[in-house]
Amino acid sequence: MNKMAGYSSDVGTSLWINNLVHGLAGITIKVKHAVYCAASPFQKIEVFDTYHYGQVLCLAGSVVLTERDGDVYHEMIVQPAMLSHADPRKICIIGGGDGGCLKEVLKHPAVETVTIVDIDSMVRDTIEKHFPRLAAGFKDSRVEVVIDDGFHFLKATKAMFDVIIIDSYDPGGPVQSLETADFHRVAAQRLEKDGLAVFQTDSPIVRPEYLRQTLSLLSPLFEVARPYICMLSSFPEGICSFVLAGREKNFPDRFDSARYEALANGFSYYNRDIHTGAFLLPQYLKKKVEAGRA
Ligand code: SAM
């Protein structure tokens, strides 16, 4: 085993987190020690302290957040939507219990309300105990946390939103109500005319069918549904995909440069070039995506 800078592979426990693709290949993360292990009514919740990724949160046995690249993921699920929208003020985050999307949304001073809907209150409790940097946003007076199924919430609420962020996808997660056609229809209905919705669509290499399925569910509902990607070393095959959807044809051409410049120093991955480049897919991914649109 090659020796990583700063420590050799023969230190610490022999405990490893395996994030494998179909059990055959993937990444494996050496653990210093387990920090927290519990089971909520919905999923197993585990926190590990690791040598290379810092603290890692696993839900239902999947790595969903690491200190090392969590900012990359949260910047990329939030900022393309927030800076493509002319004036986002009312935000909804479905599955935002880990506080990461919230941290990114609150960087925008004009945001007036953020509604976080998570089915599992134990996720937020875990974040407050073990990831205080992510939990800080929950104390913001603009934030309302709703413990509910995201689908049930969007069906029942009369609220309208400028941006809806669906950050609740995790394989084997608590309930699969957010992967249905009805859910996407209801999400579209809760958006203002110029509203934008962003969906996390997993690894486009490991599960291209999920990205295709989301695109086919969204195309009857939105004028534009654009897939985009980011590099994420803790993700199987190192790429995570998203879809940004809106009813206004010209939203892809919009980028609020002034708002971006005011925030730019606070980003670790997202920037003006990434805002455009993330939507440019390599040929093999374009083929996988187009295969679904045929
Ligand atoms: N960043 C993570 C990832 O990369 O997969 C996604 C965020 S986290 C794992 C998913 C969150 O969605 C969890 O807090 C989970 O409790 C929540 N969740 C799952 N299904 C949900 C549902 N139907 N309604 C609301 N929240 C849900």
Side-chain angles (χ1 to χ4, degrees):
M1 168 77 78
N2 66 318
K3 303 234 182 287
M4 303 270 211
Y7 49 82
S8 72
S9 59
D10 57 4
V11 296
T13 68
S14 55
L15 183 62
W16 296 77
I17 303 169
N18 289 327
N19 210 1
L20 304 179
V21 176
H22 309 311
L24 302 175
I27 69 159
T28 183
I29 304 171
K30 190 173 177 69
V31 173
K32 283 182 188 169
H33 57 266
V35 174
Y36 177 71
C37 294
S40 80
F42 298 98
Q43 55 203 334
K44 198 163 62 165
I45 302 179
E46 298 164 293
V47 179
F48 299 99
D49 189 13
T50 73
Y51 292 95
H52 196 60
Y53 281 90
Q55 287 214 146
V56 173
L57 171 67
C58 293
L59 294 181
S62 294
V63 171
V64 296
L65 170 68
T66 81
E67 279 181 327
R68 178 184 170 88
D69 65 1
D71 286 349
V72 174
Y73 176 89
H74 292 121
E75 287 174 21
M76 287 308 288
I77 192 173
V78 170
Q79 299 307 342
M82 293 295 285
L83 287 158
S84 296
H85 190 288
D87 185 17
R89 294 180 179 261
K90 301 169 289 178
I91 315 300
C92 179
I93 304 170
I94 306 287
D98 64 11
C101 293
L102 175 62
K103 173 174 71 70
E104 290 301 319
V105 165
L106 292 177
K107 287 179 180 174
H108 296 259
V111 164
E112 292 167 356
T113 61
V114 190
T115 306
I116 293 192
V117 186
D118 201 299
I119 200 163
D120 191 345
S121 60
M122 276 182 70
V123 174
R124 177 189 169 184
D125 299 344
T126 305
I127 294 293
E128 292 197 323
K129 269 193 217 101
H130 302 290
F131 295 85
R133 193 172 75 90
L134 290 182
F138 290 127
K139 297 184 184 65
D140 190 296
S141 60
R142 295 170 287 177
V143 177
E144 178 196 6
V145 178
V146 176
I147 300 302
D148 193 2
D149 168 45
F151 188 15
H152 179 259
F153 169 80
L154 288 179
K155 271 191 293 189
T157 185
K158 293 283 171 276
M160 296 296 281
F161 299 101
D162 297 313
V163 174
I164 298 179
I165 299 161
I166 318 292
D167 182 26
S168 51
Y169 173 72
D170 46 351
V175 288
Q176 308 306 317
S177 64
L178 307 185
E179 299 185 24
T180 60
D182 272 351
F183 170 70
H184 293 78
R185 185 177 45 74
V186 164
Q189 286 168 351
R190 304 298 351 136
L191 275 176
E192 297 288 2
K193 190 173 61 57
D194 62 347
L196 297 175
V198 60
F199 301 81
Q200 194 249 79
T201 45
D202 200 2
S203 163
I205 304 170
V206 178
R207 283 203 61 191
E209 71 282 359
Y210 185 66
L211 173 54
R212 281 199 294 268
Q213 173 198 322
T214 303
L215 287 168
S216 60
L217 290 174
L218 294 176
S219 48
L221 303 168
F222 293 97
E223 188 68 31
V224 180
R226 303 178 77 207
Y228 66 99
I229 57 176
C230 77
M231 293 181 286
L232 203 63
S233 70
S234 63
F235 232 61
E237 306 273 358
I239 297 183
C240 183
S241 69
F242 308 89
V243 177
L244 179 56
R247 280 193 280 270
E248 290 189 328
K249 238 193 171 73
N250 67 336
F251 86 77
D253 307 326
R254 210 167 31 221
F255 176 72
D256 188 324
S257 196
R259 207 159 14 111
Y260 166 74
E261 287 306 332
L263 301 175
N265 290 338
F267 297 135
S268 64
Y269 180 93
Y270 175 79
N271 62 34
R272 181 190 297 272
D273 298 333
I274 288 282
H275 181 87
T276 311
F279 292 88
L280 307 176
L281 303 181
Q283 193 55 16
Y284 72 96
L285 285 188
K286 280 178 92 163
K287 282 188 181 152
K288 285 181 188 278
V289 169
E290 292 315 318
R293 281 180 158 159

